[in-house]
Amino acid sequence: MKSVRSVLTILVFLILVTAAAAQGVGDFLFGNLRAEIADLRSQLARCGGPPACPERALLQAKLNHLLKMGVMMGEFLGVGDPDVAGTPPRPPAIMPTDATDYMSTRTYVLEKTRMEGPDRVYIVSENRATLAIIDHCRTMKDLDYLGTMLTREEDAARRSPAGRAKTKADVVACIGEHDPKEVSTNRKAAIEYCLQANNYLTSGKGRAPFDACMDRHDMMQAMCKQELELRYEYMMRSPGIPRAPQTCPGVQPNAGEMKAILSAPAASTMAELPAKFLAPPPDVSIPLTAPPVAIPAGTVLETTLLFRGVNVVSVEQGDIPAARLDAPLAVDGQVILTAGTFIFLKARIIGPGTPPNSVQIGLTTTSARLADEKRMELKSDELVFTILRQPPSPFVRQPPALAGFSAFIPSDTKLRFTLKP
Amino acid sequence: MTSRIAILIALLAISTAGAAAPASVQDEALRGKTAMSVYVSVSGNSEMNGAEFRLSLEQQLHDIGITVLPHGDPPNYPVLNLTIKVETREVLRRDTPERYPDTPTGRTRTVTVVDYTNKLELRQLAPGRTREMRPIEDVAIWTKADPTKTIGQIDSWNIAPEALDLAIGFVKAWVRINGPHPVTPDRPMPLPDPNAPSPPSNEPGQPLRPSSDQVDRCETRAGGGCVVALSRGVIGSVEGMPNSQRPMVIQQIEDLKKRNQQVITCEYGPSNLQTNRGFAVFNFWYQSAPPDILKLLTSAFAHPFMELGRVAVTACPATRALASQIKGSRFN
């Protein structure tokens, strides 16, 4: 496999450099292989075996080897088996008659979209819109993918026959609330409206205004945002902590689409999305549990900052930092929290720091995640860090006052909190 | 002009005669060689499966009327030995200045190239010529080899077909010398003794697992394992097959199901008694492999039956180490 990878590295290099502009990529990469396969097929067709053509088994072995190599190379490049000549015709997709069988509908629609060619973001076909709706409704209503974020009771209820029936009914109802034609029409209108008003290629303001506009007017972006918010809600599950806003990847039209969008008739206004697309996720917070025994004030928590650390942007965006407990928390010999427990933190900008271009960030603990997704309140003193608002420029000499300051509190920073009553 | 043509024809005749003479002398050594064992050695390339080439060679020898001798220790002579040796290395290559006008001497870059050598020999035992070799040594009585070639990695898919071309040369030479012979049958592998002593292994002689969800749910317990009808769950993947061959392989599976072909699943462990973890599952053809197993295995490469090979068992091997040994020699 290693040498296939190196071969393919060269292949990819060759594709990029040579570009093979006039030639299809498949022909360029697999042309010789395909020709050899075709030649062997033709030899085998003429070779009836001994005595006239004794070497038939070895011709078959040669063909087998070339077919196998084609599959290996095609799989690595994500283009599938390049031996298209040998591909049996796919059976035609059949639309299921049962309207509640959304998985079969999905398979059918997926097959249809494959025939439509590569994804387009401007003109979204009704099949692609249907696929997006089914996937959205499954994400919102069938919570199987949340796995350990569900409590034991929730998981058991979901798995029961009644739970399964409810999930299916909820997904079907959700699909029924969305109209693929409407989603498709909305995408075209939203992208024309947002791009014409916020052409990020010429406005000099970057993508942010265009993305924000799409978030407000595009149904598919809104559905994506709702999915992220639901997932985030289940990840947090702690009451009283403000949730960070969730952002989906921006819509990225290609050059041809940009041209078509910008030359479409201008739309001066566009209505906001219906309320169902902007509805917040359900509150799935679990009430905080009290510790089994009172934790004395002044108890020290030794923790390590997790994820990507903390910087000004992450605090302003409302990201929830987290830490890992380094040593067990025990009271009178009774272990309350084991080492490794996930601790939710709260970050706030206190104000400007003493050095220029710096800010003070405060970190406190809010809760600990217990087994079965329960949360235990954990209030601590505030640790104060001074960090730079922006990373220092590598081209400008730093004033001595900024020496030793960084633009972020890095992950793996040791945080020593003292608990409050 | 005429004399030049005459000289050319003469030279051509001499060179043709010179080339043909040793080949025919060599081919004479194949006369009467109607039984041999087959060995294939592939080094330096993990995409080529030596077992697949060996099985194809064995099928080919059967087709032309050669009896294929089983692998033995020492090998059963004569031995038809195909060697494919591949080495990958990096070389510095200087691009022409025309390509990069900004660097008058041209740019140097590292390029990966592949050196390979293919060789096919028929070796047999002969009286030893030195004291150390007495009483016997093995000598090549027929050899066909390509000179070492260097190619770009992009072309390495063609190494094996060139090696198989050597084998085609052998087949044609053998048929030319020996004439047509009736096809020889592929004899089934002997059934291994499931209670043979456990071989030395770093997998301790773990016994069969007496009970587990899988074991307890089994409908047909036999020979210490679970006997099931052939299904896609007990063989290799069909999904990774070439598109053009997948329907044929699926049909082969369906046909064998209809013929009530069975597989036995043997579960061993635990390897860690403290944690009660570390189980190993082995699947074997039960009682007998399909009678045309060699044809099936050589009908496509990466065939899902390669997982089971040609070996069948009448009961689960007594220990994991023995099961592992039998699995390891499933093509022999």
Side-chain angles (χ1 to χ4, degrees), chain B residues 167-189:
Chain B
I168 289 175
F170 172 84
V171 168
K172 286 180 173 172
W174 191 92
V175 171
R176 197 164 50 241
I177 294 295
N178 293 289
H181 277 61
V183 174
T184 55
D186 174 46
R187 292 201 189 88
M189 278 178 70

Side-chain angles (χ1 to χ4, degrees), chain A residues 1 3-4 6-7 10-11 14 33 41 50 54-55 57-58 61-62 64-66 68 71-72 81 83 86-88, chain B residues 46-47 52-53 56 60 63-64 153-154 157 160-161 164-165 167-168 171-172 240 242-245 298-301:
Chain A
M1 202 62 205
S3 71
V4 159
S6 352
V7 170
I10 294 171
L11 291 179
L14 284 170
L33 186 65
R41 282 207 171 105
E55 69 272 25
L58 291 174
K62 283 174 73 174
N64 291 346
H65 174 75
L66 295 182
K68 180 177 145 184
V71 169
M72 288 171 81
D81 185 353
D83 175 35
T87 308
Chain B
S46 55
E47 285 91 52
E52 288 172 335
F53 298 134
S56 293
Q60 178 64 73
D63 287 353
I64 59 173
Q153 274 196 316
I154 195 169
W157 52 266
L164 290 168
D165 282 340
I168 289 175
V171 168
K172 286 180 173 172
N243 286 334
S244 57
Q245 294 181 319
T298 55
S299 62
F301 279 5

Side-chain angles (χ1 to χ4, degrees), chain B residues 265-313:
Chain B
T265 299
C266 310
E267 197 175 355
Y268 299 88
S271 58
N272 188 330
L273 292 170
Q274 286 176 330
T275 60
N276 199 34
R277 291 195 175 177
F279 296 95
V281 175
F282 292 81
N283 294 314
F284 297 99
W285 297 118
Y286 183 57
Q287 301 290 8
S288 64
D292 51 352
I293 184 65
L294 187 59
K295 274 200 159 53
L296 293 171
L297 291 173
T298 55
S299 62
F301 279 5
H303 198 291
F305 292 166
M306 290 293 277
E307 183 71 21
L308 303 179
R310 306 163 75 178
V311 72
V313 297

